[in-house]
Amino acid sequence: MDMTTVGDTGLLDTLQHEVAVFARRAEQTRLGGVGQVRNSMDRAAYLLLNRLDKEGPMGVKALAASMGIDSSTVTRQVAPLVDTGLVKRTSHPEDGRAVVLQLSPRGAARLEEVRSSRRQLMAELTHDWAPEEREQFCTLLTRFNHALSARMTVQGVPAAEQSPAS
């Protein structure tokens, strides 16, 4: 289906422009939060720590699969998290040769600190929105992200972050 002929092309132009502006501003600020925590954790680290927190300990391959990225990327991104004590490498309980990645207590505390700062930023940015508007924006943004992930999967490109738990 040719989307340029469906609906208002002016609206679609505005949408694509606003998404581009959002992507640039999100990257510039990393939507990192407020105060001392602002910009203190990069996107990759945040998403990896968040995934380990939500899904529990797992191997590199499982973590990569759950995030829609390859194992070598996970290995590269996890290394500094292990070095700084935010993630622990442990032996798999059933296969001592396999490595399991686990959020450390320090990592859990740091993740909560960043989450809290980011929640505060979201509250500030949407302070004059009605609760229904916040909910609708979250619903639509989640739907938009799922559509992007599905499109990337169909095209054979691993879709990074396919679930709202990411």
Side-chain angles (χ1 to χ4, degrees):
M1 174 191 300
D2 180 7
M3 291 304 292
T4 59
T5 61
V6 176
D8 181 3
T9 58
L11 180 63
L12 294 174
D13 284 344
T14 300
L15 179 59
Q16 67 81 22
H17 175 77
E18 291 301 325
V19 167
V21 170
F22 171 77
R24 181 181 62 213
R25 289 192 177 136
E27 189 57 35
Q28 286 171 339
T29 65
R30 294 186 185 163
L31 290 180
V34 295
Q36 292 181 336
V37 179
R38 186 175 185 273
N39 286 331
S40 63
M41 183 179 288
D42 70 29
R43 182 183 63 233
Y46 177 78
L47 293 172
L48 285 167
L49 294 177
N50 195 56
R51 185 60 57 128
L52 288 171
D53 183 50
K54 298 285 185 196
E55 296 184 19
M58 65 181 78
V60 170
K61 286 183 181 179
L63 183 57
S66 76
M67 295 184 68
I69 58 180
D70 61 63
S71 295
S72 63
T73 300
V74 168
T75 299
R76 186 177 64 254
Q77 292 175 348
V78 163
L81 301 176
V82 171
D83 292 344
T84 57
L86 300 177
V87 170
K88 294 190 301 187
R89 280 190 179 113
T90 59
S91 296
H92 191 282
E94 296 161 10
D95 179 0
R97 298 168 296 168
V99 173
V100 174
L101 300 171
Q102 179 177 347
L103 190 64
S104 72
R106 181 174 178 213
R110 184 75 183 106
L111 179 60
E112 182 49 38
E113 181 181 35
V114 171
R115 279 182 181 154
S116 177
S117 176
R118 289 180 177 195
R119 279 192 299 271
Q120 185 178 346
L121 176 62
M122 293 300 111
E124 287 178 16
L125 294 173
T126 63
H127 76 278
D128 59 345
W129 295 18
E132 303 80 38
E133 289 174 313
R134 285 181 179 176
E135 193 171 316
Q136 183 179 26
F137 181 70
C138 188
T139 298
L140 291 173
L141 189 56
T142 300
R143 184 175 168 191
F144 186 80
N145 282 329
H146 281 269
L148 280 174
S149 291
R151 186 172 198 282
M152 291 173 72
T153 300
V154 166
Q155 292 179 339
V157 177
E161 294 316 302
Q162 295 185 18
S163 76
S166 40

